[in-house]
Amino acid sequence: MNALFLAGCSQNGEFMLMNGEKRSLDDYQGSWVVVNFWAEWCAPCLEEVPELNKIHGTSADQPIQVIGVSFDPLENQQITAIINKWKIKYPVMASDPVPILPFGLPAQLPTNYLINPQGEVVEKLIGKQSAETILKAIGRTKNKN
């Protein structure tokens, strides 16, 4: 079985998106990034999708990019079916090839990692989030600097 995962041997976090684009977390510098771990069996994960759709691509002073990651090692075609079923509008990482990220699998779902425009993981948000709670976390982080 293709075990997902995401161990931090690469700081730039290389991965393939479901649309076939090869990306790195470095590509998102200058934007806030929310890396959302979800699973199809996780009801709060499903409830988060409209909130994440709402903030993806928004900008106050810097854009916010959302990237989804399946917690379970699903085949890419299974991920595509879930994207369509859940109406996910933000990019989702492909499971093949296995993504490399600078953090491991979370212990709870949903979990969102907040990455600042400089490319640093600045917060781990555990549990169902709303657009408002994510924006507040960004504001909190900005105020620390």
Side-chain angles (χ1 to χ4, degrees), residues 107-123:
Q108 295 174 282
L109 291 178
T111 291
N112 293 280
Y113 288 92
L114 184 59
I115 301 171
N116 70 15
Q118 294 73 42
E120 305 160 328
V121 177
V122 292
E123 196 152 345

Side-chain angles (χ1 to χ4, degrees), residues 57-145:
T58 61
S59 176
D61 56 348
Q62 291 174 310
I64 300 169
Q65 303 297 319
V66 177
I67 305 169
V69 184
S70 174
F71 179 82
D72 295 323
L74 301 174
E75 298 291 325
N76 285 344
Q77 63 267 27
Q78 293 172 295
I79 294 172
T80 298
I82 293 167
I83 290 168
N84 294 330
K85 180 179 177 182
W86 286 9
K87 298 177 175 54
I88 296 174
K89 296 179 181 169
Y90 45 88
V92 175
M93 289 183 194
S95 62
D96 183 23
V98 175
I100 305 296
L101 295 174
F103 38 80
L105 278 175
Q108 295 174 282
L109 291 178
T111 291
N112 293 280
Y113 288 92
L114 184 59
I115 301 171
N116 70 15
Q118 294 73 42
E120 305 160 328
V121 177
V122 292
E123 196 152 345
K124 180 178 177 181
L125 305 169
I126 298 171
K128 185 175 82 172
Q129 302 298 311
S130 65
E132 182 180 348
T133 61
I134 292 170
L135 293 173
K136 282 183 181 178
I138 289 172
R140 222 178 17 251
T141 303
K142 282 183 184 178
N143 292 335
K144 287 180 186 177
N145 297 334

Side-chain angles (χ1 to χ4, degrees), residues 46-57:
L46 174 59
E47 294 167 8
E48 237 180 14
V49 169
E51 297 296 308
L52 296 170
N53 281 341
K54 193 183 304 183
I55 65 166
H56 175 68

Side-chain angles (χ1 to χ4, degrees), residues 5-14 99-105:
F5 270 73
L6 313 180
C9 63
S10 171
Q11 282 303 90
N12 64 355
E14 295 178 357
I100 305 296
L101 295 174
F103 38 80
L105 278 175

